[in-house]
Amino acid sequence: MTTTEESVSLWQPDVLGHGYECMDLPLKADEEGPVKATLIRHAPPAAHPSPQGVLDFLASFTKRTRRPAPADPGGAPRVVLYLHGWADYFLQTELAEYLTASGFHFYALDLRKFGRSLLPGQTPGYTSDLGVYDEDLAAAIREIEQDIALRTRNATPPTIHMLAHSLGGLIAALWADRHPGRLGTLILNSPWLELQGSSLVRSIAMHLVEPFARTDPKRPFKFPEMPAYWESVSNEGHGEWILDPVWRPRASFPIRAGWTKAVLAGHAAVERKLTIDAPVLVLLSGRTRIQAEWAADLMRADAVIDVEETARRALGLARRTAVFRYPGALHDVFLSRRTVRQQAYRDVAVWLAAYPY
């Protein structure tokens, strides 16, 4: 098989079914062994060129420089790249299909040790440094640029609009701050920008976690289970979504010392304020209600983050930041009841239309 044929064949059918494909992105091995991320694309059949056309164009594309200066910025293809949250993976097909119908190419990334990327023997979701995901994002963006060139016959680098949820929102905000000029916009769906409570609680937590993070970083902490949010989302509870029991377990993943220190360090960086150069849109529920046991009221509130503190932190992310509130939304606004999530879809599409390049 030729190199071009191998590149085309890397896309495989995804667990989400018709119109979804995925690709493994090999990454540098770590102390637990091989590591990968997984890129998912929503690619309805009509979006595919003929196989021979793909091979011919790939051969010509690989001879070009990676990011040629576009002759017409208005001609750049528009891409949405989705990042999931903690103990999570990409499953929001309705969102993908809405944005595809709105004129965007939709991709999602399951980060290393999450979802489709979780390999046997790995510690689920674990890292001691949120900066490690730079490698995942770099690999994803390289593949997206090549794939878009193949699908559109347009060598102009695409405009990337990143859409990230919860922990993914923290990762994306820190990444965008370190990589100016890479994004058209950044959309954060209930981003985890501060520890529940306050910066004082975070400072105390960091003091307590530090010794364990230094001597036994994978030590799991014993916390009470908090399955109420899972109950609000899963069709096995009170929600409407099918959740993979390994990729998104009822009791979440164990919270470990080294990971906790990395997250708290990210929160501290946000508190010091970031200088993201892309416009930022933050989507939040109207209120917070955090408790262990499920109650009907949890179907209309964020059961994970403090939305008021998050709204305050959001204003320190960038010069151009907007905060949209959704009364009755869950922690993942796009998994809320239909009327709420459809409003959010429309708002995101309108927001993106204002920043075409």
Side-chain angles (χ1 to χ4, degrees):
M1 183 179 288
T2 68
T3 301
T4 51
E5 289 170 331
E6 288 170 355
S7 299
V8 172
S9 69
L10 291 176
W11 289 104
Q12 301 296 328
D14 186 64
V15 295
L16 294 176
H18 184 70
Y20 292 89
E21 296 172 328
C22 64
M23 172 190 288
D24 287 348
L25 304 177
L27 305 173
K28 295 177 183 175
D30 66 10
E31 73 282 357
E32 294 184 331
V35 178
K36 70 169 184 174
T38 309
L39 186 64
I40 306 101
R41 70 179 180 184
H42 179 231
H48 289 288
S50 67
Q52 187 57 50
V54 167
L55 295 174
D56 292 344
F57 189 71
L58 180 57
S60 65
F61 175 77
T62 54
K63 298 176 182 177
R64 306 174 196 263
T65 57
R66 180 168 166 257
R67 295 187 66 86
D72 177 10
R78 299 179 300 166
V79 167
V80 172
L81 174 59
Y82 177 92
L83 295 186
H84 57 81
W86 170 246
D88 203 356
Y89 65 101
F90 172 66
L91 58 91
Q92 290 80 354
T93 54
E94 202 176 82
L95 170 67
E97 288 154 22
Y98 188 97
L99 291 176
T100 299
S102 299
F104 297 90
H105 300 277
F106 188 94
Y107 296 81
L109 182 64
D110 277 11
L111 297 166
R112 64 182 69 201
K113 304 187 182 184
F114 288 97
R116 299 161 179 81
S117 304
L118 182 60
L119 299 174
Q122 290 184 331
T123 305
Y126 182 78
T127 184
S128 60
D129 178 7
L130 298 184
V132 74
Y133 299 117
D134 284 19
E135 184 185 3
D136 305 48
L137 287 164
I141 291 172
R142 282 196 301 270
E143 291 296 341
I144 288 169
E145 289 179 341
Q146 177 169 291
D147 191 48
I148 288 296
L150 290 170
R151 293 166 66 186
T152 65
R153 306 296 183 92
N154 184 347
T156 303
T159 300
I160 306 291
H161 301 277
M162 194 173 290
L163 195 170
H165 171 57
S166 198
L167 175 65
L170 176 63
I171 292 166
L174 297 172
W175 180 88
D177 184 60
R178 292 193 301 270
H179 296 83
R182 299 304 303 275
L183 295 181
T185 65
L186 176 63
I187 301 170
L188 303 177
N189 170 16
S190 302
W192 191 22
L193 302 181
E194 181 57 276
L195 192 66
Q196 294 84 337
S198 68
S199 57
L200 176 60
V201 174
R202 170 169 40 82
S203 297
I204 295 170
M206 180 65 92
H207 179 74
L208 296 174
V209 164
E210 173 64 35
F212 298 109
R214 187 172 58 254
T215 60
D216 189 9
K218 292 184 181 176
R219 175 194 178 107
F221 293 127
K222 300 293 184 182
F223 293 121
E225 290 188 5
M226 300 283 287
Y229 176 56
W230 182 94
E231 292 274 355
S232 298
V233 173
S234 173
N235 69 341
E236 296 181 16
H238 303 274
E240 58 182 285
W241 306 95
I242 299 172
L243 305 181
D244 185 283
V246 174
W247 298 349
R248 193 167 184 176
R250 184 176 187 275
S252 190
F253 294 157
I255 303 299
R256 302 178 188 275
W259 177 86
T260 303
K261 180 180 178 182
V263 170
L264 296 178
H267 291 162
V270 170
E271 182 186 24
R272 293 191 295 269
K273 300 191 184 312
L274 305 181
T275 55
I276 298 170
D277 62 349
V280 177
L281 172 62
V282 178
L283 313 178
L284 294 171
S285 179
R287 63 190 180 93
T288 293
R289 181 170 176 177
I290 299 175
Q291 62 186 56
E293 297 301 321
W294 187 85
D297 193 45
L298 292 175
M299 296 298 294
R300 304 176 64 87
D302 191 315
V304 178
I305 65 170
D306 181 335
V307 295
E308 301 303 333
E309 184 63 27
T310 302
R312 287 189 286 271
R313 285 282 183 262
L315 297 179
L317 296 177
R319 180 176 64 83
R320 295 170 291 174
T321 302
V323 178
F324 288 8
R325 303 294 292 269
Y326 295 90
L330 297 174
H331 176 54
D332 187 335
V333 175
F334 300 124
L335 298 184
S336 304
R337 68 184 189 277
R338 183 172 299 277
T339 55
V340 174
R341 66 182 187 257
Q342 286 183 337
Q343 181 62 63
Y345 299 154
R346 289 191 293 269
D347 286 347
V348 167
V350 170
W351 168 269
L352 289 172
Y355 298 98
Y357 13 91

